[in-house]
Amino acid sequence: MPLGLLHQVGHNANWNIESLQTGCGNGLILSPLHQALPTVEKLSPELRAASLFDPQFYLPNSRKRKLLSYPFFPEQAAGGFATGTFDEHSLSVARACVDFQVEQGFRKVVVPTRYLKEMYPEYFQMQEEFSVNSFLTVAGPRPLCLSLAVKASMIEHASWREMLLNWVTAFHQVDELYLMYDHERDTKQVQDANFLREALRFFRQVLGTGLKLTIGYTNTEGLLFSAIGDPNITMGAFENTRIFSEDKFVESEGAVRGPKARIYLPGLLNWVQFQDALQIRRLAPEVWQQVHMPTEWAEQALSQPVEPTFNQPALYKHYFLCMKAHVDELRVMSLAGRLDMLKRRIAHAQRMYAALEPRVQVERHGRGGHLAPWAEALETF
Amino acid sequence: MPTDSDRLREELRVCLPSLVLERALAPSGQRVVYLAHFDDSLIPDEVRRAEALKVQELDIDDPDDHPFLLGWEAWGQVVVKVVSDANNDTIMRLEAEVDLLAALRPANFPKLHYANLFRNNPETEEPLDKRLYISIEEFIPGDSLEQIWLQYTGDEQRIARMALGIANALMPLWVHPQRYVHRDIKPPNILIRPNGDVVVIDLGVVRETGAKGLTETGFVAPHTPGFAAPEQYKEERALICFKADFFAIGVVMYQLMSGKNPFWYDPNMDRFDVYVATAKHNPPPLSACAGASQAFSDFVERAMRKVQAERHRTPDIFVSELEALCGLSKN
């Protein structure tokens, strides 16, 4: 399988779907948190066949309405989820969830797991008892995709990483791992060289076992993972599809004041606030030319008399096209070529930020603080 | 525990820009509570533009797809409750309880208009100092029992009807498969609508029988001295069941009938004295000290037994005896 780019579907799933239908991306990871049951059933068979359906049992007592529209979601199926009594329901939940995924014709059946924030000694046993054993029992011999949300520290600790690796390879039916990491930070981009280095090592080990690997909820750091092989990386519109957090199963992004509009500038490998982008275009036009990739969507947003709002699709569809361009460029290269290209892109972005510095004060998250840690991780993994 | 402060008020304004806080109300459980309303004219332009787009694209399959802030002024006065730093399991439990009650007894509980978790300051996009879980509830016009309890003093029939109203409101919790318990029945948590109907507020302290208390999630396990049952003072989680609510209802009935709390009968008592009294003191029967009928006095005395097993055995028995006191018994 070549390097893949999947849409991490979130709020306003139509933006991802429309983008995929125009050839941007290789498939969808559907999100019952954001897509009620009837919405998923209305997707075309072709779209479903290109999609993974993530049952999202990460917070099994979530009360989000769309999750509850699925009769097999633990909170719904158990009449109120409780760890102590869920084993009574585990098998029927697994049967209904597997049947649904098979009937809908998704690319592969996904085995859900729970998001456990603590590194319990019984971590793997808890996962097996919660869902894995039941899903393996009812799924039969078909190939399965195991979904797993882990704390960043589980990847950073070598001993935990080894246990994770041993566990995810212990099921003969599982041929794909859909993995996401909860990396707590107060920045939008990962700026943690140690974590990225260990993640690169871990993902290389996973691919080395012969498992396919889909890395979920990646922001643009996902591009770095192309240096270790051909995983699927993901791209999402709203931020909570680009950073994994259990909080997404509590928050309701449609019911809050939306974030400030940002535009992705591929030459900076970063999103910057839309107002800052206008400043760059006006005050540093030669930098703008080197960091901005014109797309139909970006030009539409930039030509509007007023700033786009967070719930207009143009800036997200622009991002999807930029990510496609990044991945298309990397996909055809050897691993050594990708590594070299990534390093050169990072160095270029650093030069662009340096050129901007005297003229445009970019807001904190739009600055280049991610670039040095990324370069370090690529040098040392 | 969060407290009313300028900082909290500013964070609320940033999260919900059209919210106008009128005044702080008494804290509820471990939450800061405000009386407030929304003023649509305060909605920022960019929010108005974004929400106008949403209105055009509402997804009929999306039960959460409602405009944010637009039209909320029509809710009139609302009660705003703020929890800070609650963990997600606690939040889910609060939501489950509210959903349950709204589905089963909408007339007896305030309607929940909105609830959400805020992690970031929407203006700066920087993390808030502490995550805020904000819920907006219907404001119930009417008086709390605490304000009007003197109107009930000595009126057996009226007290029994009010107690029956509480019991009927709580019945869905008690008989739910997860055996919920309110745990904090007391006059400030009982509202009397102008038509006399009973509304129970402060559901945030509800928990499942035997479930972990909220202490572990950053809260002090809530109870109110003078109304809490003896088992609530001990760390006997498995023993706190619907009978703790029977006890508190008995205390409310006793206080209304006699004019005195049966366990906090001396203003010089401190909380520890009240704990001891709850565990050891047997208040004089209402038939002797307040001229109550023997049936009324016996009912209250049984509800307030120290040993749970000696209280009314089931919610059905509790309610049917209350109905008999109200003259509603079928027998």
Side-chain angles (χ1 to χ4, degrees):
Chain A
M1 290 280 286
L3 180 66
L5 179 62
L6 305 182
H7 286 271
Q8 191 85 54
V9 170
H11 195 57
N12 284 338
N14 277 349
W15 302 342
N16 303 99
I17 292 167
E18 289 161 8
S19 177
L20 180 66
Q21 286 173 328
T22 59
C24 182
N26 304 110
L28 305 166
I29 300 177
L30 301 175
S31 169
L33 176 67
H34 301 97
Q35 299 170 286
L37 179 63
T39 311
V40 169
E41 289 177 331
K42 281 180 199 164
L43 295 174
S44 71
E46 295 75 26
L47 277 175
R48 292 201 296 262
S51 303
L52 285 178
F53 173 85
D54 178 2
Q56 295 177 329
F57 288 7
Y58 305 113
L59 184 65
N61 57 347
S62 174
R63 298 289 304 170
K64 301 314 288 180
R65 299 275 166 82
K66 282 177 240 179
L67 281 173
L68 297 181
S69 73
Y70 294 83
F72 49 78
F73 186 72
E75 174 73 5
Q76 185 72 309
F81 173 81
T83 304
T85 55
F86 187 66
D87 58 346
E88 296 167 26
H89 306 278
S90 178
L91 208 56
S92 60
V93 160
R95 188 168 292 117
C97 186
V98 169
D99 286 351
F100 174 77
Q101 294 187 60
V102 172
E103 285 161 14
Q104 293 292 315
F106 299 120
R107 175 165 72 77
K108 193 175 288 180
V109 169
V110 174
V111 177
T113 53
R114 188 173 181 176
Y115 176 57
L116 297 169
K117 275 182 285 197
E118 306 300 329
M119 294 158 86
Y120 298 110
E122 308 86 4
Y123 178 90
F124 300 110
Q125 184 186 340
M126 291 164 78
Q127 295 289 19
E128 289 179 16
E129 289 174 357
F130 170 66
S131 60
V132 176
N133 288 344
S134 297
F135 273 76
L136 294 180
T137 300
V138 303
R142 61 174 55 84
L144 299 173
C145 173
L146 178 67
S147 79
L148 192 63
V150 297
K151 290 284 290 182
S153 47
M154 294 177 179
I155 290 176
E156 288 166 332
H157 290 182
S159 57
W160 254 90
R161 212 161 55 224
E162 186 179 331
M163 285 193 289
L164 277 176
L165 195 65
N166 287 335
W167 187 66
V168 300
T169 52
F171 312 103
H172 69 90
Q173 305 98 313
V174 171
D175 72 351
E176 181 169 352
L177 177 64
Y178 168 42
L179 188 115
M180 59 223 81
Y181 45 80
D182 180 3
H183 179 266
E184 284 184 31
R185 57 187 188 265
D186 66 356
T187 56
K188 293 182 186 297
Q189 293 284 7
V190 178
Q191 300 190 6
D192 180 346
N194 179 59
F195 168 72
L196 289 172
R197 178 179 58 246
E198 301 306 322
L200 283 160
R201 290 174 177 170
F202 180 54
F203 298 154
R204 182 167 55 189
Q205 287 177 305
V206 171
L207 288 173
T209 68
L211 282 178
K212 298 183 188 70
L213 176 63
T214 294
I215 308 164
Y217 294 89
T218 50
N219 201 339
T220 32
E221 84 277 4
L223 295 169
L224 304 184
F225 304 136
S226 68
I228 49 88
D230 289 327
N232 289 317
I233 61 171
T234 50
M235 57 183 176
F238 290 137
E239 191 168 77
N240 70 1
T241 58
R242 290 182 265 121
I243 299 177
F244 179 81
S245 165
E246 184 194 51
D247 291 338
K248 70 196 260 89
F249 300 99
V250 181
E251 294 170 306
S252 185
E253 71 256 56
V256 294
R257 184 176 183 176
K260 288 192 170 71
R262 289 174 186 272
I263 183 170
Y264 181 70
L265 297 179
L268 298 179
L269 294 168
N270 204 6
W271 298 73
V272 300
Q273 282 193 357
F274 194 76
Q275 287 302 325
D276 287 345
L278 295 179
Q279 290 278 76
I280 295 171
R281 186 173 67 165
R282 189 167 64 86
L283 299 175
E286 84 288 0
V287 174
W288 176 255
Q289 271 204 323
Q290 295 182 71
V291 299
H292 172 57
M293 178 178 122
T295 65
E296 167 197 354
W297 298 107
E299 300 323 294
Q300 183 192 102
L302 289 162
S303 63
Q304 278 183 210
V306 291
E307 182 175 315
T309 59
F310 75 99
N311 57 354
Q312 289 177 297
L315 294 177
Y316 306 112
K317 289 186 172 179
H318 164 72
Y319 171 62
F320 300 153
L321 288 172
C322 292
M323 284 297 284
K324 178 181 186 298
H326 282 313
V327 169
D328 285 348
E329 182 181 41
L330 291 163
R331 184 182 290 128
V332 295
M333 296 179 177
S334 66
L335 294 189
R338 290 178 191 178
L339 183 60
D340 183 56
M341 171 61 79
L342 289 165
K343 288 178 181 175
R344 281 192 285 122
R345 290 278 180 215
I346 291 169
H348 177 259
Q350 287 173 316
R351 286 195 300 277
M352 293 296 102
Y353 273 113
L356 283 176
E357 204 171 326
R359 288 175 283 177
V360 182
Q361 293 305 306
V362 180
E363 165 274 345
R364 181 169 85 100
H365 298 287
R367 292 179 202 152
H370 57 302
L371 295 170
W374 288 16
E376 183 186 336
L378 287 177
E379 284 296 339
T380 55
F381 78 93
Chain B
M1 174 179 168
T3 53
D4 175 32
S5 64
D6 289 344
R7 179 176 183 162
L8 180 61
R9 286 173 178 244
E10 173 59 13
E11 288 180 338
L12 284 170
R13 185 199 66 73
V14 170
C15 294
L16 300 168
S18 58
L19 181 69
V20 179
L21 298 177
E22 297 180 15
R23 61 188 162 92
L25 299 174
S28 153
Q30 301 298 306
R31 295 173 293 184
V32 181
V33 184
Y34 296 98
L35 182 66
H37 65 271
F38 286 90
D39 179 346
D40 285 356
S41 70
L42 299 177
I43 300 173
D45 285 345
E46 79 273 13
V47 175
R48 198 180 292 279
R49 278 195 295 123
E51 295 305 311
L53 277 173
K54 194 191 291 179
V55 170
Q56 291 168 18
E57 297 175 358
L58 286 183
D59 177 355
I60 56 168
D61 292 326
D62 183 345
D64 292 332
D65 208 354
H66 300 296
F68 174 63
L69 298 181
L70 285 189
W72 290 12
E73 187 177 276
W75 291 342
Q77 283 185 304
V78 292
V79 174
V80 180
K81 294 183 176 175
V82 188
V83 186
S84 73
D85 247 10
N87 73 18
N88 289 343
D89 282 336
T90 301
I91 293 170
M92 290 303 101
R93 199 155 68 235
L94 295 178
E95 290 193 347
E97 291 149 7
V98 170
D99 285 354
L100 169 77
L101 298 170
L104 295 178
R105 287 259 188 240
N108 293 116
F109 298 95
K111 182 180 177 189
L112 180 71
H113 290 306
Y114 171 84
N116 203 12
L117 174 71
F118 289 84
R119 289 188 297 161
N120 295 319
N121 177 322
E123 283 182 358
T124 63
E125 297 186 33
E126 296 298 329
L128 293 168
D129 182 37
K130 289 181 176 171
R131 305 167 355 137
L132 298 179
Y133 185 72
I134 302 173
S135 59
I136 312 282
E137 289 177 8
E138 169 191 20
F139 172 71
I140 306 281
D143 298 306
S144 81
L145 189 57
E146 187 180 36
Q147 293 169 299
I148 59 168
W149 72 280
L150 286 173
Q151 295 175 17
Y152 285 75
T153 307
D155 187 339
E156 257 188 49
Q157 275 288 308
R158 205 168 169 203
I159 295 169
R161 281 199 302 274
M162 185 276 305
L164 181 60
I166 301 172
N168 279 330
L170 296 180
M171 182 64 92
L173 275 73
W174 295 338
V175 301
H176 190 270
Q178 291 187 305
R179 301 164 63 213
Y180 290 112
V181 191
H182 187 287
R183 298 196 300 169
D184 201 22
I185 293 296
K186 58 184 177 181
N189 286 345
I190 308 299
L191 296 183
I192 311 295
R193 289 188 193 266
N195 67 1
D197 286 350
V198 171
V199 176
V200 180
I201 60 170
D202 203 2
L203 301 172
V205 298
V206 173
R207 76 167 186 180
E208 297 161 41
T209 296
K212 284 183 180 177
L214 298 178
T215 308
E216 292 185 12
T217 60
F219 294 86
V220 175
H223 64 262
T224 301
F227 294 90
E231 63 270 22
Q232 288 180 264
Y233 295 136
K234 304 171 189 169
E235 280 303 308
E236 294 174 338
R237 289 201 301 258
L239 296 182
I240 298 172
C241 67
F242 52 84
K243 293 188 181 190
D245 289 343
F246 292 177
F247 187 95
I249 293 171
V251 173
V252 171
M253 294 173 76
Y254 192 102
Q255 180 168 320
L256 295 184
M257 190 66 198
S258 68
K260 274 193 171 179
N261 184 290
F263 306 112
W264 201 325
Y265 41 82
D266 180 343
N268 294 319
M269 294 171 81
D270 61 20
R271 292 168 71 94
F272 181 73
D273 295 331
V274 177
Y275 296 160
V276 173
T278 303
K280 306 280 188 194
H281 173 66
N282 290 310
L286 287 168
S287 55
C289 70
S293 69
Q294 196 61 46
F296 188 94
S297 182
D298 288 349
F299 177 89
V300 172
E301 186 269 334
R302 190 173 174 195
M304 295 195 304
R305 292 273 173 90
K306 314 294 183 198
V307 178
Q308 292 127 291
E310 294 176 2
R311 295 177 210 150
H312 302 83
R313 198 176 64 76
T314 67
D316 279 344
I317 292 170
F318 189 79
V319 165
S320 69
E321 288 194 17
L322 271 174
E323 286 174 341
L325 290 178
C326 296
L328 301 173
S329 175
K330 290 170 190 163
N331 299 324

